[in-house]
Amino acid sequence: MLARDEPFTLECGISISNFPLAYQTYGTLNSKRNNAILVCHALTGDQYVCGTHPVTGKAGWWDRMVGPGKPIDTSRFFVICSNIIGSCMGSFGPKETDPATGKPYGLSFPFITMGDMVRAQALLLDHLGIEKLFCAIGGSMGGMQVLDWATRFPNRVFAAAPIATSTRQSAQNIAFHEIGRQAIMADPDWCEGDYTSQRKYPFKGLAVARMAAHVTYLSQDMLQEKFGRNLQDREHVTYGFDADFRVESYLRHQGVSFVERFDANSYLYLTRAASYFDLMQGGKTKLTDVFAGTKVRYCVVSFSSDWLYSSVESRNLVRALNAVAANVSFTEITTDKGHDSFLLDVPEFDAIITGFINGSASLYGVD
């Protein structure tokens, strides 16, 4: 539980206190306390980075990257990952019980921002006795948190690796999030957010929201190569609305499996927080103003087939960093795997992250 001694004021103006923030740690904090890496998860991720996920029974969402001998080596580094506030894996979110009513918050939950998520993570580091991160790393919305960390708390971060992300949410991505929210809210079992009390759940709406979002995580080439126009368990089309094509069956499966692990109201709040994200808030008129004077060491990575957060977004970030003489490296990796490339087997990506972390560790004096 965080903010026990004094209230934590959210950017929307509402104060909260004594709230839960679920987290996992991997590896050991060294005697210098200078080997901590914060892994920031994406929109529907969680704190279970590696090992066996206790809910799904599958490997953690970044198991291929985090662990002994892996690019983020837990035999050398102390890795922390918290479930962001607003989510549904144990942290303060809409499904948590409101002590004032004894019922889930639902839509009475306050609106949260990326900055709120990061400031809550900073409270967690205070709780763990970690004054400064060696590195903050994350992809997609996790990359947004990394950028917020590096600009909000520049003296608490030595190195930052924002991956497949942007300094602000684009109109296209705001639009996709709105489609997902409307799908959920159009489901009659959403019950204006009070589905738990009414013993219902907007399964169909949340599944459709996930299906629409999942398409944006892939590339056209990958979809064509993997599915094409192949039929699903049949030789001819049915002239109906069953899943005739394999790609349709795949998306339906993604929707159903997502509904089993995620909270619908959390999806509403987190997509809204992502839409609000813009590093140039607070009166800043140029992106260079955000990074002026930064001492953070950056590694920016994008993927050629990512159309959700395209390489154009990363290049804009890199140009702003170069303009203020920041220490930054940038790589666009050629792959047909789309936005989700940072979660998939892309050896070049592994090599880049390994090199950046090991090189930065030497400079920072990590044993």
Side-chain angles (χ1 to χ4, degrees):
M1 304 294 284
L2 299 178
R4 289 186 174 185
D5 298 327
E6 57 183 65
F8 180 81
T9 302
L10 301 169
E11 291 185 358
C12 69
I14 294 175
S15 293
I16 59 176
S17 60
N18 204 30
F19 62 90
L21 190 72
Y23 69 96
Q24 292 288 117
T25 64
Y26 309 87
T28 303
L29 187 63
N30 65 16
S31 59
K32 295 180 182 178
R33 311 183 82 81
N34 72 343
N35 68 332
I37 295 179
L38 178 69
V39 172
C40 300
H41 70 72
L43 179 70
T44 60
D46 52 44
Q47 64 271 36
Y48 299 107
V49 179
C50 60
T52 301
H53 194 293
V55 176
T56 66
K58 299 178 181 179
W61 61 268
W62 230 11
D63 190 69
R64 55 174 300 276
M65 290 291 290
V66 180
K70 295 180 181 180
I72 302 174
D73 189 349
T74 52
S75 63
R76 186 183 186 193
F77 301 104
F78 181 60
V79 176
I80 310 150
C81 184
S82 70
N83 186 220
I84 53 177
I85 58 172
S87 192
C88 54
M89 292 298 291
S91 290
F92 181 60
K95 69 179 291 187
E96 295 295 305
T97 300
D98 181 351
T101 65
K103 300 192 304 181
Y105 280 96
L107 291 197
S108 67
F109 188 77
F111 282 91
I112 43 98
T113 66
M114 212 71 64
D116 294 329
M117 298 171 192
V118 166
R119 291 188 301 118
Q121 291 166 347
L123 288 182
L124 173 61
L125 292 190
D126 293 342
H127 170 73
L128 295 173
I130 298 171
E131 182 178 341
K132 185 171 182 175
L133 290 167
F134 157 59
C135 181
I137 184 171
S140 194
M141 198 174 91
M144 293 179 178
Q145 294 165 56
V146 169
L147 289 172
D148 196 286
W149 255 104
T151 53
R152 186 181 298 271
F153 300 114
N155 294 325
R156 297 194 70 174
V157 182
F158 177 74
I163 303 157
T165 194
S166 176
T167 60
R168 67 196 309 188
Q169 194 74 304
S170 69
Q172 174 180 270
N173 290 346
I174 292 171
F176 275 118
H177 284 324
E178 175 64 4
I179 290 169
R181 287 193 297 270
Q182 289 300 319
I184 293 168
M185 293 188 286
D187 189 321
D189 288 337
W190 180 60
C191 304
E192 300 298 317
D194 192 33
Y195 45 83
T196 301
S197 296
Q198 300 192 37
R199 298 181 180 179
K200 295 182 179 181
Y201 195 77
F203 290 102
K204 294 180 179 178
L206 182 57
V208 170
R210 178 62 171 182
M211 290 168 67
H214 196 76
V215 172
T216 71
Y217 304 153
L218 309 174
S219 71
Q220 178 175 324
D221 288 345
M222 183 181 183
L223 283 170
Q224 187 63 32
E225 180 181 349
K226 187 172 184 178
F227 301 107
R229 292 182 54 82
N230 295 323
L231 300 179
Q232 177 69 30
D233 299 328
R234 63 201 66 188
E235 295 183 0
H236 306 286
V237 298
T238 63
Y239 295 102
F241 294 108
D242 286 338
D244 276 355
F245 296 96
R246 286 184 183 176
V247 68
E248 295 171 337
S249 178
Y250 169 76
L251 287 176
R252 292 186 186 191
H253 170 74
Q254 290 296 324
V256 170
S257 60
F258 180 68
V259 166
E260 293 173 350
R261 70 174 179 85
F262 212 79
D263 177 62
N265 283 336
S266 281
Y267 194 86
L268 300 181
Y269 278 88
L270 295 183
T271 55
R272 177 51 90 193
S275 295
Y276 285 155
F277 179 68
D278 184 352
L279 279 185
M280 288 196 295
Q281 290 173 337
K284 297 181 177 66
T285 58
K286 296 182 296 182
L287 193 53
T288 51
D289 294 339
V290 178
F291 298 105
T294 183
K295 302 300 182 186
V296 178
R297 179 181 171 87
Y298 284 89
C299 175
V300 180
V301 181
S302 71
F303 302 96
S304 61
S305 55
D306 183 355
W307 57 278
L308 185 64
Y309 294 106
S310 72
S311 293
V312 172
E313 308 273 2
S314 292
R315 288 193 179 96
N316 289 338
L317 165 60
V318 172
R319 276 195 291 268
L321 288 166
N322 281 330
V324 296
N327 188 327
V328 56
S329 62
F330 168 59
T331 304
E332 179 190 35
I333 296 174
T334 300
T335 175
D336 65 355
K337 296 182 179 181
H339 178 66
D340 268 358
S341 294
F342 72 96
L343 299 173
L344 304 175
D345 184 13
V346 180
E348 185 180 351
F349 174 63
D350 298 7
I352 288 167
I353 296 304
T354 300
F356 175 69
I357 288 179
N358 289 342
S360 297
S362 296
L363 292 172
Y364 195 51
V366 179
D367 295 333

